[in-house]
Amino acid sequence: QVQLVESGGGLVQAGGSLRVSCAGSGRSLPSYNMAWFRQAPGKEREFVASISRSGGRTDYADSVKGRFTISRDNAKTTVFLQMNSLKPEDTAIYYCAASRLGYCSGDGCPYDYWGQGTQVTVSS
């Protein structure tokens, strides 16, 4: 069992930056492929970024490519999402997710554990 807790969300102006974190319980998080998803009001949850167990592979949604960076610190069992050049359309609740299965990126990939989410609001 893995518990995921997101933090670092908040209110930021368009063009600004924010880093959200996902802390995993126990020592098992390095065994999981990880990802960030987001859900805006009235919209379906969508894939944002994913990272492999070792951190050697990352993938991004086209909408955030070049602006967001996913990383992980396995020693501290934490996954990060650095968000730069934020836009109002990035406003959403951001969730991290963990998968024990093979690496998979994008919507539709199965994830075993989810956090409760952290709100990111970008003002224009």
Side-chain angles (χ1 to χ4, degrees), residues 90-101:
D90 294 317
T91 294
I93 299 174
Y94 283 72
Y95 299 91
C96 67
S99 172
R100 295 170 294 181
L101 302 177

Side-chain angles (χ1 to χ4, degrees), residues 97-117:
S99 172
R100 295 170 294 181
L101 302 177
Y103 183 76
C104 178
S105 66
D107 294 307
C109 293
Y111 283 88
D112 302 292
Y113 303 103
W114 294 83
Q116 295 299 307

